[in-house]
Amino acid sequence: MQKPLFKLTALASVVLGLAACGGESKQATSASSGDAANPSTFVYCSEGSPSGFDPGQYTDGATFDASAHTLYNGLVQFTIGTTDVEPALAESWEVSEDGKVYTFKLRQGVKFHTTDFFTPTRDFNADDVVFTLQRMLNKDHPYNKAYPAEYHYASDMGMTEDVGSVEKVDDYTVKITLKNVSAPFVQNLAMPFAYILSAEYADKLAAANKHADINTQPVGTGPFVLKSYQKDQQIRYVKNPDYWNKDNVKIDNLIFAITKDSGVRAQKVEAGECSLSRYNKVAEVEAAKKSDKVTVQSREGYNTGYLSLNSREGRIGSDVRVREALDLAIDKDAIIKAVFAGAGTRATGLLPPSQWGMDTNLKPSSYDPERAKALLKEAGKENATIELWYMPVQRPYNPNAKLMAEMIQADWAKVGLNAKLVTYEWGEYLTRGKKGEADSMLIGWTGDNGDPDNWFGNLLSCSAVGGSNYGGFCDKDFEKVIMDARGTTDKDKRTELYLQAQQMLTEKKPAVYLAHSVTDALLAKNVKGYVLEPLGSTRFEGVSVE
């Protein structure tokens, strides 16, 4: 982050008037909606700080919740509560018969945020779409030369390879031509990384040689405007008065009270100091269910928690025998019982049961310490030392990564491995992980576009190495299968290829697949209209406090 502390304006001080780190008053959270004399405030006890406010640069949910879903819009978006795609900044689109040309008709009259540092002189138009996408797709884009940024999601999803051109037809028409058919292309555009930035604002920053401010002083078209940010403490937003869908924004003030301890988050919801908490531990959810002060929403998680194994040359996991041994040495049933406490199920592979294309014939990997010892000896790695990284935050796929890491450490010790536990601040954890620094790394994924390619392409493709492919797994045979699946719109053929890909993963062992969890949200009783999203995001349109 270039500027971790934003200016807190007089308006934010007076209207919000709330203490840092979630210490908001009960009076504030219970205010009624839509009354200028009595503005409503929604306090989200979030689990961690965003990595930045330019969603194209990142892949983590904490960043998308704090940036994309609050500040920006995409050409298209997922209908709240579903995996269906609906219009957003694009009112409609057409696809050519060969599946390679997409023509988007843009919504007119959409305004960018007016802030202390930027006043737009024009409405949203095709220039903004071209700028946003070209900056991600073209490494030689002038903005990238001045402000080198990495756009892992665009690369991981294959867009850098598949998109041939992004052209402005007129002010409100954009044509995107693909080099290759990409079955999930529209779903990809609905994902937060593809949300649209202001080209006019980018030009202003470039003229002042302040390109990096695009990541710290954001300007979007979204439902809220950023007012201030204090890293690891709070983010404050106000309702966008010019929002194109303003009838769907019922909160005047939105606050992210960054509260890393899930127990504290749950307590604050019960006390009326926070309106919402996500990623709670099972005991906290069960206690909330018994309380008459909290509303609990739950749904089957569209997620997988797993242990990424670094298979890069020269690393302990470069030998498939070692990777298999690391898997066999872990008692996954014990982990499910201790960490998920009945709110999780054993994973048999990368895909969760709710994902189409999931191989229902796969069996969970076994627990076999003796076989693990034999494989380690065969590979010459008995009594080896290995780093085991664990997340510093709760995620939907892992409510207690530290406990899980300690259990894995104990299991590995039984087969002669010395596991050194390592953790970092969440943003640094992800950054270092993408660089391949971890021998093994607890991580996970919540699908965010409803397509199997979102899992295979993002997490295990060669193009995702350096992005969300933390273990550096790159296998040409596996790559061909998943690329063939991406390149056809025939769902039956795609399913056949994804079944083949899953069988290949059982042999190549790039990761230890651990669990799929139930996801929960704890809500204050006065919250109305909140929907627990299947794709893992936290969205505030349509939400109110009474």
Side-chain angles (χ1 to χ4, degrees):
M1 295 290 295
Q2 300 292 321
K3 295 183 179 179
L5 180 62
F6 288 85
K7 177 182 177 182
L8 179 60
T9 67
L11 174 62
S13 299
V14 173
V15 172
L16 303 179
L18 303 172
C21 297
E24 288 73 18
S25 68
K26 295 181 183 179
Q27 180 181 2
T29 59
S30 62
S32 61
S33 298
D35 183 349
N38 190 20
S40 63
T41 298
F42 187 102
V43 183
Y44 172 36
C45 266
S46 63
E47 77 284 6
S49 295
S51 302
F53 289 94
D54 174 4
Q57 296 188 42
Y58 303 105
T59 61
D60 64 291
T63 296
F64 290 155
D65 289 344
S67 62
H69 298 303
T70 50
L71 302 172
Y72 301 97
N73 298 114
L75 288 173
V76 293
Q77 64 188 14
F78 293 106
T79 303
I80 288 178
T82 78
T83 59
D84 300 330
V85 175
E86 66 180 8
L89 293 180
E91 290 187 316
S92 64
W93 61 94
E94 297 177 352
V95 186
S96 63
E97 289 187 8
D98 65 0
K100 292 184 178 182
V101 181
Y102 291 74
T103 303
F104 293 88
K105 293 294 183 180
L106 306 183
R107 190 178 301 276
Q108 299 188 34
V110 176
K111 300 186 182 303
F112 280 99
H113 298 160
T114 296
T115 70
D116 294 341
F117 47 85
F118 178 69
T119 300
T121 65
R122 64 165 177 80
D123 291 348
F124 156 78
N125 66 26
D127 293 329
D128 305 304
V129 178
V130 173
F131 165 75
T132 300
L133 298 183
Q134 287 287 18
R135 185 176 62 115
M136 291 191 291
L137 302 173
N138 180 9
K139 293 181 179 180
D140 295 323
H141 191 282
Y143 212 90
N144 292 337
K145 290 185 176 181
Y147 172 51
E150 296 181 336
Y151 306 102
H152 290 298
Y153 232 138
S155 175
D156 295 355
M157 298 301 292
M159 290 182 67
T160 52
E161 297 296 324
D162 291 336
V163 177
S165 63
V166 182
E167 303 172 77
K168 173 182 177 180
V169 177
D170 57 45
D171 279 350
Y172 293 100
T173 309
V174 172
K175 183 173 70 173
I176 301 177
T177 303
L178 305 184
K179 292 181 283 187
N180 311 296
V181 171
S182 177
F185 182 65
V186 173
Q187 287 96 317
N188 292 348
L189 290 179
M191 294 165 61
F193 79 92
Y195 280 19
I196 305 302
L197 282 63
S198 166
E200 182 187 17
Y201 177 52
D203 288 342
K204 177 185 176 181
L205 293 178
N209 198 29
K210 294 182 177 180
H211 301 74
D213 284 2
I214 205 165
N215 193 31
T216 57
Q217 296 184 335
V219 170
T221 59
F224 298 95
V225 181
L226 181 69
K227 300 306 293 185
S228 68
Y229 170 46
Q230 291 172 290
K231 184 176 174 61
D232 294 334
Q233 294 185 53
Q234 63 183 231
I235 316 171
R236 299 174 181 245
Y237 311 84
V238 296
K239 180 179 180 179
N240 177 7
D242 300 317
Y243 191 47
W244 57 272
N245 194 19
K246 65 175 62 179
D247 290 343
N248 205 31
V249 183
K250 305 177 187 300
I251 301 167
D252 297 303
N253 305 301
L254 173 63
I255 300 166
F256 280 40
I258 300 167
T259 312
K260 295 183 178 180
D261 188 301
S262 65
V264 175
R265 295 199 301 270
Q267 291 170 10
K268 285 182 178 294
V269 176
E270 185 167 347
E273 296 177 6
C274 286
S275 309
L276 167 68
S277 172
R278 299 280 313 277
Y279 317 125
N280 303 282
K281 295 177 182 176
V282 175
E284 295 155 3
V285 175
E286 292 305 311
K289 288 178 179 178
K290 297 175 183 178
S291 169
D292 62 355
K293 300 178 181 179
V294 178
T295 299
V296 179
Q297 288 189 16
S298 301
R299 70 181 302 157
E300 179 185 8
Y302 183 51
N303 59 53
T304 303
Y306 61 94
L307 178 68
S308 175
L309 303 176
N310 196 330
S311 59
R312 293 172 175 85
E313 186 176 353
R315 306 302 288 260
I316 186 172
S318 61
D319 189 325
V320 69
R321 294 172 297 181
V322 174
R323 299 198 299 273
E324 183 176 3
L326 294 174
D327 187 350
L328 292 170
I330 299 173
D331 186 347
K332 291 91 167 175
D333 288 333
I335 286 176
I336 295 294
K337 183 177 180 180
V339 176
F340 294 91
T345 57
R346 279 285 309 273
T348 60
L350 180 61
L351 299 185
S354 54
Q355 174 63 67
W356 69 263
M358 188 260 196
D359 188 346
T360 57
N361 293 318
L362 289 178
K363 303 296 181 184
S365 60
S366 61
Y367 173 51
D368 191 343
E370 294 306 315
R371 174 61 178 159
K373 286 181 185 178
L375 286 169
L376 289 171
K377 183 175 181 179
E378 183 181 321
K381 296 297 182 182
E382 65 269 44
N383 303 316
T385 296
I386 182 171
E387 283 192 349
L388 171 56
W389 289 24
Y390 66 92
M391 297 169 292
V393 297
Q394 293 84 31
R395 299 304 300 154
Y397 46 75
N398 193 331
N400 194 337
K402 186 174 188 293
L403 174 59
M404 186 182 289
E406 290 169 347
M407 294 181 72
I408 294 172
Q409 181 186 46
D411 283 343
W412 283 353
K414 294 174 185 176
V415 299
L417 289 173
N418 174 31
K420 178 183 177 183
L421 300 188
V422 177
T423 193
Y424 296 96
E425 180 273 329
W426 182 229
E428 185 175 3
Y429 185 86
L430 294 173
T431 299
R432 287 175 174 266
K434 289 172 182 177
K435 293 178 181 178
E437 294 184 16
D439 291 330
S440 62
M441 177 180 179
L442 285 172
I443 196 67
W445 192 256
T446 296
D448 47 9
N449 78 358
D451 193 277
D453 182 69
N454 183 244
W455 299 81
F456 295 111
N458 268 321
L459 305 178
L460 293 171
S461 69
C462 296
S463 61
V465 175
S468 296
N469 184 346
Y470 298 97
F473 176 76
C474 180
D475 182 273
K476 64 180 182 179
D477 296 328
F478 175 80
E479 187 83 359
K480 183 179 187 308
V481 171
I482 62 172
M483 291 302 108
D484 286 349
R486 179 186 290 171
T488 177
T489 57
D490 184 328
K491 190 173 181 178
D492 290 339
K493 178 62 175 177
R494 296 186 76 205
T495 299
E496 179 185 334
L497 289 166
Y498 287 132
L499 293 176
Q500 182 181 343
Q502 289 165 85
Q503 290 295 329
M504 296 172 77
L505 292 181
T506 63
E507 301 171 3
K508 298 178 185 296
K509 304 284 185 185
V512 179
Y513 304 109
L514 298 166
H516 313 294
S517 74
V518 173
T519 61
D520 301 278
L522 307 185
L523 296 156
K525 284 287 189 178
N526 63 341
V527 174
K528 306 298 178 185
Y530 177 80
V531 176
L532 189 58
E533 289 290 318
L535 298 176
S537 57
T538 303
R539 297 168 65 180
F540 301 97
E541 290 189 68
V543 180
S544 64
V545 289
E546 295 182 351

